[in-house]
Amino acid sequence: MLAPRPVVSAELTMTEAIQQAQATHASIDSARAQIQGAEGLQKQAALRPNPTLNFQSENWRVTAPPSFVGARDLDLFAFVAQPLETAGKRSRRMAVAAQTRRIADLKSEAVMWSIRQRVKQDFLRALLAQQQVQLLEENSRTFDQIVEYHRNRVELGAMAEADLIRVQLEADRFHVALRSAAMDSERALVELLRSMGRPDPPNQIRLAEVPMQRPSDGGLGLDDILEMAHRMRLEVQVHQSRVGQAESQLDLQRAQAKPDWTAIFGYKRTTGLDTLIAGLSVPLPLFNRNQGNIAFEQSEVQRARAELRLTLRDVDAEVRSALAGLRRRYQMLRELQDGILARAEESWRIAQAAYRVGGSDLLRLLDAQRARNEIQLLHARTQREYQLSLVELESAVGAENLSLREETLLEP
């Protein structure tokens, strides 16, 4: 019976979206199955070899004479043969299985991390689309007031009707942009729900605001970030475990070159006498000393180490690229907040006030409104892109809630 899925709230926070995705996403079941398989391999690796029970009889005769009495003339054997593993093969098998389990655990964590980061990115994109709709709605309401003001002026004969038509066209442009932004917002919500593994329609869902993360004096520098990435990135940990797995497999193959002994203990009855059997079977490694498997595992160790070095270089490149993008967004955000946004707002207020007292023409008013709208949208987009760049840096480092120094964000 399927477990009931959590209900999407009217206002969805990023934390709730991540929790719901990790609770219901189908790819998590695959990762859990892989862990169960690794647990089975661990259990199997710890088992000892089974003993062998042997029973045989000898001295059966095809012809009757001379007289044949089975209890007297047959030789009966019943003995147990127990293989004895040498060179620590069992512990080496367990080491290989432990590394396999470690890799399965890391891959499961990587699936959860991938879902988490994708939901965060889609959430921020959907939040940007929602914010653009809100800004356009606000500007559209403002322009509707301007249209009403011009309509009243035309009815009083204080303004030419051509100016009213021009303002109405501008208002219609806002309404078209608003409808387009609403469709974009709906698509962004659909993508968010898809990344959450949810088929719910996007109706009646609003996204809660995500606060901006500011630089701090005790934050990380570039060297700190690279060191953290080498330590925290799950792909690096997987390749480190694969190196350990290959080394453990090499140790196991070297141990396999040492022959296992077989201890024999049992019962023998011959010529009516009951006796005991004890023996030891030791293979002689004259030709097969597992040379081929040892050579193969040596090459696997070299390959795993090379892949680890390549992964570390790739991680460094991803961290530097993500940090470069974050720096560009941060500098753009500072420029907007340090004056451009305020100047656009002030220009709009001045143009509106001047137009109402007849000190400015309609074109200047419309230009000021367009500039204000474009700057507001650019600011909202830059904020979200800065947050998206921070999520990309988190993905490159493999850690959340990175606290960065402002010098790190301003370095060229």
Side-chain angles (χ1 to χ4, degrees), residues 142 146 149-150 153 344-362 364-366 368-369 372:
T142 302
I146 295 175
Y149 167 78
H150 282 76
R153 298 270 292 173
E345 190 69 27
E346 185 65 21
S347 174
W348 154 246
R349 286 197 296 266
I350 292 173
Q352 187 180 37
Y355 182 73
R356 289 184 181 275
V357 298
S360 175
D361 60 25
L362 180 60
R364 290 186 180 180
L365 175 65
L366 297 179
Q369 173 65 27
R372 173 176 176 262

Side-chain angles (χ1 to χ4, degrees), residues 3 19 38 45 84 94 109 130 162 172 194-195 216 229 236 241 262 291 337 375 383 392 401 404:
Q19 290 174 347
L84 303 176
M94 293 172 64
E109 291 179 27
Q130 175 181 287
D172 291 339
R194 181 182 300 172
S195 64
S216 63
V236 173
S241 295
T262 302
Q291 302 96 318
Q337 293 175 342
I375 293 299
Q383 280 185 317
E392 291 174 359
N401 302 321
L404 304 178

Side-chain angles (χ1 to χ4, degrees), residues 302-318:
Q302 295 173 358
R303 185 171 68 87
R305 289 173 178 170
E307 289 180 350
L308 174 60
R309 291 193 298 269
L310 180 61
T311 300
L312 289 172
R313 287 197 295 267
D314 290 343
V315 166
D316 286 349
E318 290 178 20

Side-chain angles (χ1 to χ4, degrees), residues 214-373:
R214 304 295 180 181
S216 63
D217 295 336
L220 302 172
L222 176 58
D223 292 338
D224 301 321
I225 295 172
L226 292 173
E227 188 275 331
M228 180 180 290
H230 289 183
R231 179 168 41 87
M232 299 294 295
R233 184 75 176 263
L234 288 170
E235 289 88 339
V236 173
Q237 295 182 48
V238 167
H239 282 286
Q240 288 172 339
S241 295
R242 284 177 176 165
V243 171
Q245 184 186 43
E247 292 173 343
S248 297
Q249 190 68 41
L250 176 59
D251 290 341
L252 176 59
Q253 293 302 325
R254 284 172 173 163
Q256 295 285 8
K258 307 295 177 58
D260 293 336
W261 296 2
T262 302
I264 301 171
F265 182 80
Y267 162 81
K268 176 184 177 184
R269 180 178 178 82
T270 181
T271 63
L273 298 177
D274 296 327
T275 59
L276 297 178
I277 298 175
L280 190 65
S281 174
V282 181
L284 299 178
L286 298 179
F287 307 108
N288 181 0
R289 294 187 296 276
N290 210 31
Q291 302 96 318
N293 288 331
I294 292 173
F296 174 77
E297 294 302 334
Q298 287 173 336
S299 68
E300 286 295 295
V301 170
Q302 295 173 358
R303 185 171 68 87
R305 289 173 178 170
E307 289 180 350
L308 174 60
R309 291 193 298 269
L310 180 61
T311 300
L312 289 172
R313 287 197 295 267
D314 290 343
V315 166
D316 286 349
E318 290 178 20
V319 169
R320 293 179 186 276
S321 176
L323 184 58
L326 182 64
R327 286 169 175 169
R328 287 193 295 269
R329 298 291 183 270
Y330 182 71
Q331 291 169 0
M332 289 176 59
L333 195 58
R334 285 190 60 184
E335 291 173 1
L336 286 167
Q337 293 175 342
D338 287 348
I340 297 178
L341 192 64
R343 288 195 295 271
E345 190 69 27
E346 185 65 21
S347 174
W348 154 246
R349 286 197 296 266
I350 292 173
Q352 187 180 37
Y355 182 73
R356 289 184 181 275
V357 298
S360 175
D361 60 25
L362 180 60
L363 291 178
R364 290 186 180 180
L365 175 65
L366 297 179
D367 288 341
Q369 173 65 27
R370 291 193 196 99
R372 173 176 176 262
N373 180 60

Side-chain angles (χ1 to χ4, degrees), residues 71-113:
R72 180 194 64 199
D73 297 327
L74 286 179
D75 290 344
L76 302 176
F77 300 85
F79 58 91
V80 174
Q82 174 64 55
L84 303 176
E85 290 187 311
T86 60
K89 294 184 179 69
R90 178 170 173 268
S91 62
R92 286 169 170 77
R93 282 199 312 272
M94 293 172 64
V96 173
Q99 293 291 350
T100 302
R101 168 63 189 272
R102 170 68 174 161
I103 291 172
D105 288 338
L106 290 172
K107 287 183 176 180
S108 178
E109 291 179 27
V111 170
M112 299 286 282
W113 174 258

Side-chain angles (χ1 to χ4, degrees), residues 22-55:
Q22 292 180 336
T24 61
H25 208 285
S27 59
I28 297 175
D29 294 335
S30 174
R32 289 171 179 164
Q34 190 172 9
I35 292 177
Q36 291 175 353
E39 289 175 348
L41 292 178
Q42 274 190 299
K43 184 181 296 184
Q44 184 64 35
L47 300 178
R48 300 180 184 276
N50 292 323
T52 302
L53 175 62
N54 298 272
F55 180 81

